[in-house]
Amino acid sequence: SVPWVRAVAVLPGTGRCYSLCCLPAEVAVEDREKFLLDFVEDNEVLRLGDMSIRLNLQAGIYRLTGGDQEPFIHMLSAADIAYNEIQGTAAVVGVYDESLQQGLRVRKQIEDCMEQALRDQEFQVWCQPKYDIRTHRLTGAEALVRWHSSVMGDLMPGTFIDVFEHNGFILRFDYYMLEKICQLQRQRLNDGQKIVPISVNQSRLHIKEENYLDKMQRIADRYKLPAGCVELELTETAFGDFEQSEQRGHAVHVIKELKKMGYSISMDDFGSGYSSLALLQTLPMDIMKIDRSMLVSAEESPRAKSILRNIVDLGQRLDMEVICEGIETPEQEKFLLELGCRYGQGYLYARPMPMQKFADFIENQGETPV
Ligand code: C2E
Ligand code: MG
Ligand code: MG
């Protein structure tokens, strides 16, 4: 019932072939989306002779704004941006808006600047202390990056880590952070100063990276730090499709080898995904780092509280060090103490601080005033 025009076009430079539908603007938004959903459904199965192939079709919608003066390539690119946004998700239809275009501009700028930034040491290592929440004594820290870009100003990791993961730059970047922490620990040991274990985040891409273990061994050999001085934080998404036994076996191998080299292994953001328990069963991790979202939910719902209590207990029974991240209030601390959680990290104790400031902080015992 919706009038439409159909054509096929190729977007230059992408090699992608598109099926185009142009719908009059007066068609209501719901009808437009319904039309596309029906279209996708009708064309989902491709028949070639006796064979039928199931296709994963997705569509991007762009609403014409520039009247008949708008270049065709612009319309096509905008629909393509909307389509790209839903790739890898279960959504069938994505709708373009200006913020998507803005997001792409930022992404491009980040990519243009990142190599030079690494050479110019624009990435600064900050450290956030970790505490024993029963005694308020400093027990360690997590290294977190801050980017002081000469072009874009100060950036938080939430703005650029995803971009680095997307284009693979994160691999080199993570080694840079790891080396900075190893240098700090080695220097302090040489100078006879006190040290605490410091964790660095490791992107999920390392698990599949060629020569990951060789590179990590070389770093371990170069700094010769006592075991446990450096921890690696990996999120559960690092282990990808854990259902497949080959991948599972590989992940177990990687973890065991890293431990032999003296790195402790921490499961970051525990409880934020869906496969946490399966991973616990198989991977010999040393530390369970409970995601802030679990803490927040547990404060609100008795069921979530019961789950958190049992998770803390489970971690301890598995001989893991259990730490909760994102503790902001004394009430949360009290709550965690009741649940038997021993370690914590969060704004209540200390915010992330530049690495050098953290080095001074250790000297003063780093005891929190709370
Ligand atoms: P993460 O590893 O889970 O780090 C904890 C994040 O929680 C940090 O955010 C930290 O500043 C924040 N945080 C700490 N205490 C509190 C609190 O009490 N309340 C709240 N609301 N937040 C708190 P940040 O520094 O923005 O880092 C975000 C994420 O970026 C990190 O999450 C980590 O996944 C990633 N990231 C940071 N540095 C690196 C890095 O060097 N390599 C990699 N691969 N990822 C990194
Ligand atoms: Mg982390
Ligand atoms: Mg975390």
Side-chain angles (χ1 to χ4, degrees):
S1 60
V2 181
W4 61 293
V5 183
R6 197 176 148 195
V8 171
V10 175
L11 187 64
T14 67
R16 287 191 196 147
C17 183
Y18 293 83
S19 195
L20 295 181
C21 308
C22 298
L23 304 171
E26 54 270 21
V27 175
V29 175
E30 315 81 71
D31 288 344
R32 256 183 266 154
E33 293 199 15
K34 175 156 186 335
F35 170 83
L36 278 171
L37 285 170
D38 291 347
F39 177 82
V40 164
E41 212 168 88
D42 291 347
N43 291 278
E44 238 172 6
V45 178
L46 183 70
R47 294 214 163 71
L48 290 173
D50 291 345
M51 254 193 336
S52 52
I53 302 169
R54 199 161 188 86
L55 301 174
N56 266 334
L57 293 183
Q58 288 179 304
I61 298 185
Y62 171 61
R63 194 172 193 284
L64 293 190
T65 48
D68 48 12
Q69 297 305 310
E70 195 160 349
F72 175 69
I73 188 75
H74 179 246
M75 304 173 201
L76 193 52
S77 302
D80 186 55
I81 290 169
Y83 155 76
N84 271 324
E85 208 40 40
I86 56 164
Q87 269 198 324
T89 73
V92 175
V93 176
V95 182
Y96 175 86
D97 72 59
E98 261 309 306
S99 66
L100 294 181
Q101 180 72 32
Q102 176 58 17
L104 277 190
R105 269 188 227 116
V106 172
R107 187 183 201 109
K108 168 94 176 49
Q109 199 170 30
I110 288 172
E111 294 192 327
D112 288 345
C113 295
M114 63 192 189
E115 294 281 349
Q116 188 69 33
L118 194 62
R119 282 194 291 274
D120 293 350
Q121 311 238 5
E122 286 185 354
F123 297 112
Q124 295 192 1
V125 184
W126 284 41
C127 291
Q128 186 178 29
K130 297 176 187 170
Y131 284 86
D132 181 324
I133 57 182
R134 292 189 301 196
T135 60
H136 288 172
R137 288 189 78 85
L138 176 77
T139 56
E142 173 175 14
L144 294 161
V145 65
R146 300 291 179 260
W147 182 359
H148 299 294
S149 165
S150 54
V151 180
M152 293 173 286
D154 290 348
L155 302 179
M156 294 294 283
T159 337
F160 55 88
I161 290 289
D162 278 356
V163 181
F164 292 178
E165 290 230 328
H166 195 78
N167 61 29
F169 183 71
I170 194 79
L171 295 174
R172 281 162 59 209
F173 169 76
D174 279 348
Y175 289 119
Y176 172 85
M177 294 290 285
L178 174 61
E179 293 238 11
K180 288 277 174 201
I181 291 303
C182 289
Q183 280 161 15
L184 174 77
Q185 300 288 58
R186 172 48 47 214
Q187 188 64 50
R188 293 185 67 83
L189 280 172
N190 291 352
D191 296 347
Q193 290 169 309
K194 187 176 144 190
I195 64 167
V196 291
I198 304 183
S199 57
V200 292
N201 290 285
Q202 292 279 280
S203 157
R204 63 196 166 81
L205 298 190
H206 291 291
I207 297 289
K208 286 191 187 154
E209 183 192 2
E210 220 178 303
N211 302 328
Y212 177 50
L213 291 174
D214 290 344
K215 289 177 190 162
M216 294 301 277
Q217 181 69 61
R218 275 204 291 278
I219 294 174
D221 292 344
R222 190 169 326 135
Y223 295 96
K224 295 195 171 46
L225 295 169
C229 283
V230 175
E231 292 170 14
L232 306 174
E233 293 196 9
L234 286 146
T235 59
E236 56 192 18
T237 53
F239 302 100
D241 192 358
F242 208 64
E243 301 301 306
Q244 293 173 14
S245 75
E246 199 183 312
Q247 292 210 11
R248 202 161 51 231
H250 175 67
V252 172
H253 170 70
V254 170
I255 299 294
K256 284 189 174 159
E257 291 301 310
L258 290 170
K259 285 175 69 157
K260 274 191 217 159
M261 296 173 203
Y263 300 106
S264 317
I265 314 295
S266 169
M267 188 177 284
D268 200 3
D269 303 341
F270 186 84
S272 63
Y274 296 101
S275 54
S276 314
L277 288 180
L279 292 175
L280 265 196
Q281 193 185 328
T282 324
L283 296 177
M285 312 285 256
D286 305 290
I287 300 146
M288 174 194 279
K289 207 165 179 206
I290 296 173
D291 195 61
R292 173 174 158 73
S293 62
M294 279 204 106
L295 172 63
V296 173
S297 312
E299 281 184 294
E300 287 162 6
S301 123
R303 277 178 86 90
K305 180 175 178 179
S306 183
I307 292 174
L308 181 57
R309 182 191 301 280
N310 283 286
I311 293 272
V312 170
D313 188 51
L314 181 65
Q316 274 151 0
R317 280 172 197 269
L318 293 173
D319 270 338
M320 296 171 86
E321 181 187 306
V322 180
I323 174 164
C324 185
E325 58 185 14
I327 306 174
E328 292 181 353
T329 65
E331 291 73 31
Q332 287 176 332
E333 177 186 75
K334 185 160 167 272
F335 181 72
L336 284 164
L337 279 171
E338 271 168 36
L339 298 187
C341 179
R342 174 120 190 228
Y343 300 99
Q345 177 182 348
Y347 299 158
L348 176 67
Y349 307 106
R351 292 195 173 243
M353 60 187 89
M355 190 170 80
Q356 203 43 56
K357 189 164 170 215
F358 177 69
D360 301 338
F361 189 80
I362 308 179
E363 289 309 309
N364 304 324
Q365 282 295 311
E367 271 180 70
T368 156
V370 289

